[in-house]
């Protein structure tokens, strides 16, 4: 099968990693893939050819059986060139909810109006749409739901039991000897709600927080830690290309997000068998249930977060096995790719 993927860029973002994992599996299976993108810049190395394109100029549509777009601009591109694409079948993966309310967590009022108004129009130009969870599915119009399937993201995670940076490894070993390590891998933005994790330390004298990621909230989080007198138990490791390697040092993985699409960090934590404490937003609950190795706390309730962290630590051994098994059953790249192939083969008539 000849499969074309379209991305905004080759940046190291969630959709980019999904496309890389999809193409890696498809190429391994013998399919022919190519990734088209708009913006220049260093980023992900794909396992197949790549080509930069311009929005108003069509690429070789007729040479592909399936054209699979990801994110707003690629979806707009399919809509713009729909007549030239003709009978070639198109699929879109919707990586995040597109309601006005949820767009506002990342965008301005004007941007949110544009996205929530135009994106559904662009999606109607596709033959099929895939979204990442039941919560996003339920937020779509009835017209879009008729051609939409839910497919979880999946990743093939190579487990590493040693942190590459010697100094950081030694620091984490010392911390582990004295504390329970609460870890999170996320961009440091307001949407990720990491201030809640830092606040929870006031209830958890035997815990430290390790954050991997960068973003505009870093200084605010640091100031909060100082204000609460817990800065000596907060460690900002910055952005890491190999952030998942640090999961081996974490006792509990915590996500305090106010909204999400499908967090790849959660997949990585599951692969490492890290028990998880998650905010009780609908998206998380549609991805993993409480009997699969995760506990949920009431978003914004710091005492409840601290309580769930304590319970997760008590149940660490059994929940580690549960969440690792869940990863193997539902969250690998192979599982994800087979579901997409079913969409391509069963719902799309290949020429």
């Amino acid at each position: 099968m000849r499969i074309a993927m379209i991305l905004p860029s080759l940046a190291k973002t969630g959709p980019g990693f999904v496309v890389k994992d999809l193409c890696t599996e498809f190429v391994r299976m013998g399919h022919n893939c190519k990734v088209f993108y708009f913006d220049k810049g260093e980023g992900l190395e794909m396992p197949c050819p790549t080509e930069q394109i311009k929005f108003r100029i069509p690429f070789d549509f007729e040479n592909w059986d399936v054209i699979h777009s990801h994110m707003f601009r690629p979806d707009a591109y399919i809509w713009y060139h729909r007549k030239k694409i003709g009978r070639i079948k198109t699929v879109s993966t919707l990586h995040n909810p597109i309601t006005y309310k949820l767009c506002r967590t990342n965008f301005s009022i004007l941007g949110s109006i544009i996205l929530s108004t135009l994106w559904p129009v662009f999606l109607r130009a596709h033959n099929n749409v895939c979204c990442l969870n039941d919560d996003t599915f339920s937020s779509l119009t009835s017209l879009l739901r008729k051609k939409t399937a839910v497919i979880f993201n999946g990743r093939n995670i190579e487990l590493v039991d040693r942190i590459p940076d010697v100094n950081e490894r030694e620091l984490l070993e010392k911390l582990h000897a004295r504390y329970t390590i609460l870890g999170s891998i996320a961009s440091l933005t307001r949407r990720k709600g990491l201030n809640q994790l830092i606040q929870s330390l006031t209830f958890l004298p035997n815990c430290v927080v390790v954050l991997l990621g960068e973003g505009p909230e870093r200084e605010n989080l640091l100031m909060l830690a100082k204000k609460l007198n817990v800065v000596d138990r907060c460690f900002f490791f910055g952005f890491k290309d190999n952030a998942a390697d640090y999961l081996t040092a974490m006792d509990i993985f915590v996500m305090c997000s106010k909204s999400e699409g499908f967090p790849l960090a959660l997949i990585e934590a599951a692969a490492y068998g890290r028990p998880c404490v998650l905010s009780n937003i609908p998206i998380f609950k549609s991805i993993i249930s409480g009997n699969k190795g995760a506990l949920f706390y009431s978003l914004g309730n710091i005492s409840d977060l601290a309580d769930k962290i304590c319970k997760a630590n008590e149940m660490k051994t059994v929940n580690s096995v549960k969440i690792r098994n869940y990863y193997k059953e539902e969250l690998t790249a192979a599982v994800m790719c087979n579901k997409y192939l079913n969409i391509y083969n069963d719902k799309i008539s290949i020429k």
Side-chain angles (χ1 to χ4, degrees):
M1 190 182 300
R2 300 166 299 171
I3 305 166
M5 297 281 180
I6 313 178
L7 279 167
S9 72
L10 298 182
K12 295 178 179 179
T13 61
F17 283 113
V18 170
V19 168
K20 180 177 180 178
D21 289 339
L22 283 171
C23 290
T24 298
E25 287 295 310
F26 290 152
V27 169
R28 184 184 62 79
M29 295 174 182
H31 301 293
N32 180 21
C33 296
K34 188 172 183 178
V35 178
F36 297 89
Y37 64 96
F38 296 110
D39 297 337
K40 286 184 177 180
E42 295 183 3
L44 292 169
E45 292 186 10
M46 293 292 175
C48 59
T50 62
E51 180 181 332
Q52 186 179 11
I53 56 175
K54 295 183 178 180
F55 187 86
R56 294 179 179 274
I57 300 175
F59 61 81
D60 53 343
F61 299 138
E62 69 280 359
N63 289 337
W64 304 97
D65 298 311
V66 177
I67 301 174
H68 190 159
S69 61
H70 302 257
M71 302 304 289
F72 181 80
R73 213 176 347 159
D75 286 341
Y77 180 84
I78 295 297
W79 173 85
Y80 184 80
H81 293 286
R82 183 70 257 188
K83 289 184 178 180
K84 293 180 181 178
I85 291 172
R87 297 180 62 187
I88 305 301
K89 305 305 180 181
T90 63
V91 176
S92 171
T93 292
L94 189 59
H95 290 265
N96 49 271
I98 56 174
T99 61
Y100 172 80
K101 180 180 178 180
L102 291 176
C103 285
R104 280 291 288 128
T105 62
N106 280 330
F107 301 98
S108 66
I109 292 176
L110 179 59
S112 299
I113 291 173
I114 292 172
L115 288 174
S116 60
T117 302
L118 292 181
W119 211 333
V121 174
F122 297 153
L123 290 174
R124 288 199 290 270
H126 288 77
N127 299 103
N128 290 91
V129 177
C130 299
C131 64
L132 308 184
N133 54 71
D134 292 329
D135 188 56
T136 300
F137 177 84
S138 64
S139 72
L140 298 175
T141 64
S142 58
L143 182 64
L144 283 177
R145 286 200 299 270
K146 290 179 181 179
K147 59 179 179 180
T148 299
V150 175
I151 298 180
F152 287 178
N153 281 344
R155 301 212 69 195
N156 289 339
I157 308 298
E158 181 182 355
L159 302 185
V160 176
D161 62 1
R162 187 170 181 174
I163 293 166
D165 186 287
V166 174
N167 293 330
E168 291 173 344
R169 182 168 69 244
E170 291 177 351
L171 170 61
L172 289 166
E173 288 172 353
K174 290 178 181 177
L175 291 174
H176 195 269
R178 295 183 57 195
Y179 298 102
T180 296
I181 297 179
L182 313 176
S184 195
I185 302 171
S187 56
L188 306 186
T189 63
R190 293 178 63 186
R191 181 171 65 88
K192 297 296 184 177
L194 292 167
N195 60 298
Q196 299 166 84
L197 183 54
I198 291 174
Q199 289 173 292
S200 74
L201 289 179
T202 61
F203 295 89
L204 302 166
N206 297 320
C207 294
V208 296
V209 166
V210 172
L211 300 179
L212 290 102
E214 284 292 352
E217 281 295 295
R218 188 183 191 281
E219 288 304 313
N220 289 335
L221 293 172
L222 182 58
M223 289 174 60
L224 175 65
K226 291 178 179 178
K227 179 181 178 181
L228 297 176
N229 294 316
V230 296
V231 69
D232 60 324
R233 291 189 286 128
C234 290
F235 298 87
F236 296 80
F237 279 31
F239 175 80
K240 303 285 184 182
D241 281 325
N242 58 326
D245 295 354
Y246 290 73
L247 284 161
T248 188
M250 299 177 188
D251 295 298
I252 308 294
F253 187 75
V254 185
M255 297 193 76
C256 303
S257 304
K258 300 174 184 178
S259 70
E260 284 286 351
F262 197 109
L264 298 184
L266 177 57
I267 301 175
E268 294 167 344
Y272 273 85
R274 298 300 90 182
C276 293
V277 174
L278 311 171
S279 57
N280 64 341
I281 58 176
I283 286 177
F284 282 148
K285 288 193 165 186
S286 73
I287 294 171
I288 186 169
S289 60
N291 63 352
K292 299 295 185 182
L295 294 177
F296 299 93
Y297 79 95
S298 180
L299 181 65
N301 188 329
I302 308 305
S303 62
D304 188 38
L305 171 58
D307 180 59
K308 294 303 191 298
I309 287 171
C310 291
K311 289 183 179 179
N313 200 34
E314 293 170 2
M315 303 167 64
K316 183 166 60 176
T317 301
V318 63
N319 277 355
S320 177
V321 174
K322 286 182 178 180
I323 202 164
R324 172 68 177 158
N325 288 338
Y326 180 63
Y327 163 76
K328 293 177 181 177
E329 294 167 1
E330 295 291 341
L331 301 177
T332 66
V335 170
M336 172 181 66
C337 288
N338 283 329
K339 290 180 179 179
Y340 274 108
L341 283 176
N342 287 337
I343 295 291
Y344 297 164
N345 286 318
D346 296 342
K347 295 186 179 181
I348 296 178
S349 176
I350 304 299
K351 291 166 52 176

